[in-house]
Amino acid sequence: MDKVISMIGLATKAGKTVSGEFSVEKAIQGNKAHAVIVSVEASDNTKKKFKNKCEYYKIPLFYYGTTQDLGKATGNKTRMSLAVVDEGFSKSIIKMLDNQVK
């Protein structure tokens, strides 16, 4: 398992993530989300919805991992989206994701 998924798992164990479309939207709109991760397997509509919300609320958005990867990290079978609601964890995850993109 890669470092990003491991870090998401740690954040989840610490209670610092929310997952599932409704919970992630609520975290974004409540200004609780510090980073949002959407599976690369998500539908174009789902990606567009989160892109628009994250742009509006100025929250970093990443398309990363399969639904199984995100599910495993959050203790579920599959997950399409998740939000990191802790600033420290989000900074670490964002740094890892930025490094992987480059």
Side-chain angles (χ1 to χ4, degrees), residues 22-102:
F22 179 75
S23 297
V24 173
E25 278 187 67
K26 201 169 162 188
I28 293 168
Q29 292 167 338
N31 279 327
K32 289 178 172 51
H34 293 278
V36 173
I37 301 169
V38 175
S39 169
V40 294
E41 298 173 342
S43 71
D44 290 341
N45 282 346
T46 299
K47 288 178 180 175
K48 184 174 189 271
K49 177 168 67 172
F50 282 113
K51 180 178 183 280
N52 291 341
K53 285 198 181 298
C54 287
E55 281 178 0
Y56 181 80
Y57 289 95
K58 295 177 177 45
I59 297 167
L61 169 69
F62 297 92
Y63 302 109
Y64 184 81
T66 64
T67 56
Q68 282 80 17
D69 289 339
L70 298 182
K72 194 184 301 178
T74 58
N76 297 288
K77 187 171 181 180
T78 61
R79 270 297 175 249
M80 198 65 69
S81 58
L82 65 91
V84 182
V85 294
D86 177 80
E87 195 172 351
F89 276 115
S90 69
K91 283 181 181 176
S92 297
I93 292 168
I94 289 167
K95 192 174 178 183
M96 286 178 189
L97 289 168
D98 282 343
N99 289 337
Q100 284 194 356
V101 172
K102 291 173 185 165

